[in-house]
Amino acid sequence: MIKHISTLLARCDILCLQETGLGEHDSSTLRAIFPKHNFFYNNLKLNYAGVITMVSAKYAKAFTITQARPPELTKGRILTLRFNSRLHSSTTRASFHVHNAYVSSGESDMNKVAELATLAPLGKEIPNFLCGDFNFVVSAEDASSSRSSCALN
């Protein structure tokens, strides 16, 4: 897994990982392996859910990065970072949000919608980038659980 993460990090400035399964207060995993990156965590509990967003330190120097406090509903599910440009601090459009989502699987469609709806108040004044694992399937037959009816068709 570390080899794959290294390969991805060589090609990008921001990497979003889902279903990390780290303990609720773990904030050091991967730091020693990737010292040239900043880490932002939203963990739920050991071996369950969790997201990490990694930002190269070189890229991060151009921004003030703040992590939004997640609503209880999205603990271990959605991590939102706001990147404010240091060079163009008075230009709103020079800033942006990155949302890293790991939407509940095997849950009701309403749970998925409720989790994603927590992003709505962030507004449209700056660009928003949403990435992650949304646990949708193309057709109901592809679902791993009969409890999931969240198909894209």
Side-chain angles (χ1 to χ4, degrees):
M1 182 63 71
I2 299 300
K3 181 180 175 183
H4 295 296
I5 292 172
S6 294
T7 300
L8 290 169
L9 287 173
R11 298 178 188 162
C12 64
D13 293 312
I14 301 171
L15 181 65
C16 297
L17 304 173
Q18 301 82 34
E19 205 169 351
T20 56
L22 299 177
E24 182 177 4
H25 302 291
D26 187 341
S27 62
S28 61
T29 298
L30 300 178
R31 286 184 198 268
I33 300 167
F34 302 106
K36 294 181 180 178
H37 288 79
N38 297 328
F39 291 80
F40 300 90
Y41 298 82
N42 184 358
N43 305 326
L44 187 56
K45 61 184 179 181
L46 191 60
N47 299 318
Y48 190 79
V51 293
I52 298 173
T53 300
M54 302 169 66
V55 182
S56 76
K58 184 177 178 181
Y59 185 76
K61 286 180 185 178
F63 299 92
T64 300
I65 305 171
T66 54
Q67 182 172 346
R69 186 165 188 247
E72 193 59 33
L73 173 67
T74 63
K75 187 144 175 53
R77 298 284 177 190
I78 297 177
L79 187 154
T80 295
L81 298 177
R82 181 177 176 128
F83 290 72
N84 289 314
S85 173
R86 291 182 192 271
L87 185 59
H88 304 287
S89 58
S90 62
T91 306
T92 305
R93 300 295 287 174
S95 300
F96 60 93
H97 287 118
V98 172
H99 311 282
N100 182 0
Y102 173 54
V103 179
S104 298
S105 61
E107 302 289 334
S108 75
D109 295 348
M110 294 310 295
N111 285 8
K112 293 175 194 268
V113 169
E115 288 172 7
L116 291 172
T118 63
L119 300 174
L122 295 172
K124 300 176 185 175
E125 77 280 359
I126 65 172
N128 287 277
F129 299 93
L130 176 61
C131 58
D133 180 350
F134 302 99
N135 281 308
F136 292 110
V137 294
V138 175
S139 63
E141 297 83 35
D142 294 332
S144 60
S145 169
S146 60
R147 294 180 296 163
S148 179
S149 62
C150 211
L152 294 176
N153 59 1

